Amino acid sequence: MDQTPLEFGAFLAPWHRVDTDANIAIHQDLETAVAMDRLGYSEFWIGEHHSGGVEIVADPLLFIAAAAERTQRIKLGSGVLSLPYHNPFLLADRIVLLDHLTRGRFLFGAGPGQLVDDSRSIGIDSLENRRKMEQSFDVIHRLLAGETVTEKTDWYDLDAAYLQVPPYSDIHTAVTATVSPTGPKLAGRYGAGLLSLAATSPEGSAALKAHWGIVEELAAENGKTVDRRNWRLTCPMHIAETEAKARENARHGLLYLMNYLAHVSPGLAQLDDVDVLIDGMNSTGFGVVGTPDMAVEQIKRMQEASGGFGKLLILHGEWADHPNSIRSLELIAEKVMPVFNGSLDRRQRGYDQTVNSDGAGAKATSAGQAEAQARFEAERAGR
């Protein structure tokens, strides 16, 4: 299994209770990005949705522009842009602008769109979304590479389209995957990263190794290079100092939001008891509501199931209230990230050398102090 040090980030749809004021919720998500930047997380992803009342960011590009002004180093990803909802030329042009505004901190994540009412509202057939996503992703990829594109389809018409401003950086792209092979196929064909959004569901977990096999196979066929360091797996997490405290925190919104998601995502069942939900999450590996040690064990299971990946994205929602959500991110940064990023081993080596030295440091200090005292007394006596 690949032992590449893990990087950590978060993926926000975002999910908020309907009775949480929308303006407050949006600004809390911005504060979450700022906190993660301070805590050393590497990535923050924000989604696009237009219906349902729970996922309330309509434009990840606008959100990222605001977050970029409030942060310094964290990379900011569209998680994801729903490609069938947009003209690919205009979207590519806006991506380049955001690449310049962030000076290379923008990550382009693409997907087909998930909410049926989003598609209905703009008069498109959601069953066509994956096909349209593939078409759009190809056009955007070619435009970003500097090509001039003339292409007519049943939903866009480009005539000698090109980007008048080149990208600021080599924009990193990533595509979503759940259970179907659409995402892995595109990731391999274009050498893009993979966002496995159902990595801990039974079906999604079972498909992980096959999905990466598709990525590598298609990459080889198309002369592309792919790297497990650009494979991102997601997992719902809420962490506290004790499991009992984490469970109490999660009573705020976990059951409410998971029951909403049961209407959106296949394979989720509605439940009446939050403790039954948490028991199921913790016992099956679907997620973690508990302690840092429980999070460490969960991530190790995900490494085993996948064969190795590069980035762990916490599926972050309003499982708990905002202060306890930030505390969860703090605990993950303090107690979980060091286990996987390589920093803990070196510190442990230094600690072990010191405590197993039979007090060599204290003895050396004591001897040095005695020598200095003797030298001082000899100097005084010599006067």
Side-chain angles (χ1 to χ4, degrees):
M1 184 179 68
D2 193 336
Q3 297 295 332
T4 301
L6 274 182
E7 295 181 16
F8 282 69
F11 189 99
L12 287 74
W15 296 295
H16 288 286
R17 291 180 58 109
V18 172
D19 55 2
T20 298
D21 179 77
N23 184 265
I24 290 174
I26 290 168
H27 282 273
Q28 285 177 343
D29 290 334
L30 285 170
E31 291 167 10
T32 298
V34 171
M36 292 179 64
D37 187 47
R38 170 177 57 84
L39 291 167
Y41 286 86
S42 64
E43 297 180 353
F44 177 96
W45 296 77
I46 192 81
E48 173 189 359
H49 301 90
H50 306 276
S51 60
V54 166
E55 300 153 288
I56 56 175
V57 169
D59 188 345
L61 301 184
L62 282 175
F63 186 99
I64 288 168
E69 293 300 303
R70 293 163 166 82
T71 56
Q72 297 179 347
R73 46 157 299 281
I74 194 169
K75 293 182 178 179
L76 303 163
S78 56
V80 291
L81 283 165
S82 299
L83 300 192
Y85 304 168
H86 307 278
N87 180 286
F89 169 72
L90 295 179
L91 195 55
D93 214 20
R94 290 158 60 203
I95 287 168
V96 168
L97 175 60
L98 195 52
D99 183 41
H100 280 270
L101 291 173
T102 62
R103 290 207 165 106
R105 284 197 286 146
F106 173 64
L107 306 169
F108 169 40
Q114 185 178 24
L115 300 183
V116 172
D117 282 346
D118 285 0
S119 298
R120 179 196 53 77
S121 295
I122 56 176
I124 64 176
D125 183 354
S126 61
L127 295 179
E128 294 288 312
N129 282 2
R130 281 166 176 76
R131 186 259 301 178
K132 291 180 177 180
M133 172 197 163
E134 293 186 35
Q135 291 175 320
S136 177
F137 191 80
D138 179 71
V139 168
I140 292 171
H141 178 82
R142 290 156 59 195
L143 289 168
L144 293 178
E147 292 186 26
T148 299
V149 178
T150 296
E151 183 171 293
K152 184 173 184 178
T153 71
D154 58 338
W155 64 289
Y156 62 79
D157 187 354
L158 303 183
D159 182 7
Y162 71 98
L163 300 179
Q164 63 176 351
V165 177
Y168 175 85
S169 70
D170 183 11
I171 299 172
H172 178 73
T173 62
V175 292
T176 59
T178 51
V179 177
S180 83
T182 301
K185 180 177 67 175
L186 287 177
R189 182 182 298 164
Y190 295 97
L194 189 66
L195 280 162
S196 293
L197 299 184
T200 58
S201 73
E203 299 85 357
S205 179
L208 287 175
K209 289 182 179 178
H211 276 187
W212 190 253
I214 293 171
V215 172
E216 291 183 325
E217 182 180 349
L218 268 292
E221 291 178 3
N222 289 274
K224 301 295 182 180
T225 300
V226 291
D227 193 323
R228 285 179 181 265
R229 288 176 294 182
N230 292 323
W231 189 12
R232 297 163 176 88
L233 269 60
T234 64
C235 179
M237 284 188 182
H238 179 75
I239 303 303
E241 288 80 358
T242 66
E243 184 178 349
K245 186 174 181 180
R247 284 173 171 264
E248 185 61 32
N249 291 346
R251 293 183 185 279
H252 170 81
L254 183 66
L255 184 66
Y256 179 100
L257 293 170
M258 284 296 177
N259 281 341
Y260 163 81
L261 290 172
H263 294 280
V264 176
S265 300
L268 296 178
Q270 293 194 71
L271 296 170
D272 297 324
D273 189 313
V274 68
D275 288 307
V276 171
L277 171 61
I278 294 171
D279 288 342
M281 291 176 64
N282 287 342
S283 64
T284 63
F286 179 78
V288 180
V289 177
T291 64
D293 286 343
M294 293 169 66
V296 168
E297 292 307 311
Q298 168 70 4
I299 295 168
K300 289 180 178 178
R301 288 191 293 268
M302 295 173 69
Q303 289 179 317
E304 183 64 29
S306 65
F309 61 99
K311 295 173 177 63
L312 187 282
L313 299 184
I314 300 157
L315 275 179
H316 183 82
E318 196 183 325
W319 320 131
D321 64 18
H322 185 60
N324 283 314
S325 294
I326 297 299
R327 181 56 183 153
S328 175
L329 292 169
E330 289 175 345
L331 285 169
I332 292 169
E334 293 167 4
K335 304 294 186 182
V336 180
M337 286 166 56
V339 176
F340 296 98
N341 65 17
S343 68
L344 187 62
D345 292 341
R346 296 189 184 190
R347 293 180 62 200
Q348 190 68 50
R349 175 183 174 183
Y351 175 83
D352 290 343
Q353 286 181 191
T354 299
V355 300
N356 294 326
S357 66
D358 193 26
K363 291 175 182 177
T365 299
S366 180
Q369 291 170 340
E371 188 277 333
Q373 182 67 31
R375 184 159 32 85
F376 173 75
E377 291 174 357
E379 289 171 355
R380 300 303 293 174
R383 281 192 165 190

